[in-house]
Amino acid sequence: MADFKPRIEISFLETFICSAFAACFAELCTIPLDTAKVRLQLQRKIPTGDGENLPKYRGSIGTLATIAREEGISGLWKGVIAGLHRQCIYGGLRIGLYEPVKTLLVGSDFIGDIPLYQKILAALLTGAIAIIVANPTDLVKVRLQSEGKLPAGVPRRYAGAVDAYFTIVKLEGVSALWTGLGPNIARNAIVNAAELASYDQIKETIMKIPFFRDSVLTHLLAGLAAGFFAVCIGSPIDVVSIHFRLLHKSTTRLFGFRLIMCGSAYIYNKFQ
């Protein structure tokens, strides 16, 4: 049954800190998979000499194994510092602002279940605001993750996350830290809406089922469903966003060209 106990009010700062901490912990656990995802989305086929082009990375497990073999285990955690920077800012803001923005949209005196479209709108806004602030950290993270094994004697572009920030500003200007902001806003706003709004709605639905209450199990079930839904919705925009941040091409032209040349399967590249 639903839990009708009075809810404890949590301040924005408390929500921000808890969200940032949880997001950073998740980042530490999942960044090897995220690195594999970036490599799969960006990889080009390698000529074999007999006229065939074969992909370097094959599937999630194969990609993890290839990175570990060529670059060492530490290669799986490339970009982790920038990733933690990103989660502190983006994770804290997108979740911390969700409830206040949702309350602002419906009014503080609203009673009852908040409509789904209001939840989606609130999550779209908080996702966009959060990534506008966190875009430099996202850019650095992807650039560090994208570097694979380099030929002997070829230096890496960046010595680490902090060096990447300074190098980008020095060589490309401060505005370069917000490269790809347009597709990044689209990607993160949509994924945030798919994730938070669906989590909120699914949890609300589960708690109406007899014998279910506001428990860890309820949150876990809602989180798993929301995470899967967010990945399915965000994968197409994620592919375009990552290419744009690295190749500096127009989102529309890149998306259209790839879609025409490779078909709709391209935007779900390596969804495995």
Side-chain angles (χ1 to χ4, degrees), residues 123 126-127 129 162 233 238 258:
T126 58
I129 293 169
V162 176
I233 296 296
D238 196 30
R258 295 290 189 181

Side-chain angles (χ1 to χ4, degrees), residues 41-42 239-248 254 266:
Q41 289 176 329
L42 293 175
V239 174
V240 176
S241 176
I242 288 177
H243 275 81
F244 189 84
R245 276 171 280 166
L246 290 171
L247 303 178
H248 310 283
L254 174 63
Y266 171 77

